Amino acid sequence: MPFTALSEEKWQAIRSTCTHTSQGIDLRRETDQIGQAYWAARATREMWLKKLQGKKPAKQREKIHKALLSVRQSQKALAGVLADGLLDDDFVHPDFETPEYRLEAWLSDYDLWVHPFAGKNDPIKAELVSRLIGLWKKSGGALRWSRKKDDAGTPYAPVVDFLTVTLNAILGTAFTPSGVAKMIDRHRGERLGYNPWLMYAVHRRITRDM
């Protein structure tokens, strides 16, 4: 079931992890917005998967790209004959702008919702984690975590608890402290493969469409 808003029980669990001052941030409202944006993006991604079901995505992209090139070539050819004065003044100009815009939009959306998900990559989830960590930092929380000496080195810290509870509330999935610690490290740039520009693009597209 897609997330819509934090229940009172989930909110109280999240609130209990925040031992720092909230810096005047409405943590509950902003967490709701982040969760809603995640599921809006996931729905768009699923729509693209359904659209391309049973087809080879790269082949479909190639077809759209060729169509776009054809439209642009037609525009150039028409501009040439118009410049030469070969057509009468009452010539009705064909509408090239609409198909060109729609083809460009299709390619842009494909490059955002399909191409980046090769292999095990999930930029939508990465954006979710990034925004939650950003919210934690904005509210005054630290990203430091330590390992328990008496529990096989299990990571612990308020930020680990916050992300564990919040991700569970939004995704309905349980995360281990070690898994959450790796997310924090990735956000801090300690691991390769994080693409800030892609995350920005996903965030802008999600918030634009909401």
Side-chain angles (χ1 to χ4, degrees), residues 8-205:
E8 185 62 26
E9 179 184 3
K10 294 290 187 181
W11 162 239
Q12 291 302 330
I14 292 171
R15 187 179 181 183
S16 69
T17 68
C18 302
T19 57
H20 57 280
T21 59
S22 62
Q23 304 288 338
I25 301 298
D26 189 338
L27 197 65
R28 183 172 187 172
R29 180 179 63 83
E30 294 202 29
T31 302
D32 280 345
Q33 291 175 340
I34 291 171
Q36 291 159 6
Y38 169 85
W39 282 103
R42 185 60 62 192
T44 302
R45 161 74 175 159
E46 292 300 322
M47 179 189 70
W48 270 91
L49 290 178
K50 184 176 181 180
K51 181 187 298 187
L52 296 172
Q53 187 174 9
K55 303 175 183 178
K56 294 181 179 180
K59 289 287 186 181
Q60 308 312 308
R61 188 190 187 286
E62 183 180 355
K63 290 179 182 179
I64 295 293
H65 184 248
K66 287 182 177 179
L68 177 60
L69 292 179
S70 178
V71 168
R72 288 175 175 171
Q73 288 171 352
S74 296
Q75 287 178 315
K76 185 177 180 180
L78 179 60
V81 295
L82 287 173
D84 290 340
L86 299 176
L87 298 174
D88 297 331
D89 293 339
D90 60 352
F91 173 76
V92 178
H93 292 255
D95 177 17
F96 285 119
E97 292 185 1
T98 297
E100 181 182 24
Y101 169 79
R102 296 188 65 178
L103 292 168
E104 288 176 339
W106 192 99
L107 291 171
S108 176
D109 286 346
Y110 176 95
D111 290 342
L112 184 61
W113 299 112
V114 180
H115 179 70
F117 293 82
K120 296 183 179 180
N121 292 333
D122 188 348
I124 299 177
K125 182 180 175 182
E127 167 66 7
L128 169 65
V129 173
S130 178
R131 292 186 68 187
L132 289 175
I133 291 177
L135 178 59
W136 174 263
K137 291 168 60 180
K138 186 170 71 170
S139 68
L143 295 186
R144 297 185 300 272
W145 57 268
S146 304
R147 293 188 183 277
K148 297 180 180 180
K149 295 180 180 180
D150 58 348
D151 190 16
T154 300
Y156 75 97
V159 64
V160 173
D161 294 337
F162 169 77
L163 288 173
T164 299
V165 176
T166 306
L167 287 169
N168 177 262
I170 294 173
L171 301 179
T173 304
F175 291 86
T176 66
S178 294
V180 171
K182 289 179 181 178
M183 295 177 190
I184 297 170
D185 287 346
R186 181 164 56 247
H187 179 83
R188 291 161 67 181
E190 295 178 8
R191 292 183 60 185
L192 299 176
Y194 180 72
N195 187 335
W197 169 249
L198 179 59
M199 296 305 98
Y200 170 79
V202 170
H203 171 59
R204 291 287 295 174
R205 189 65 56 84

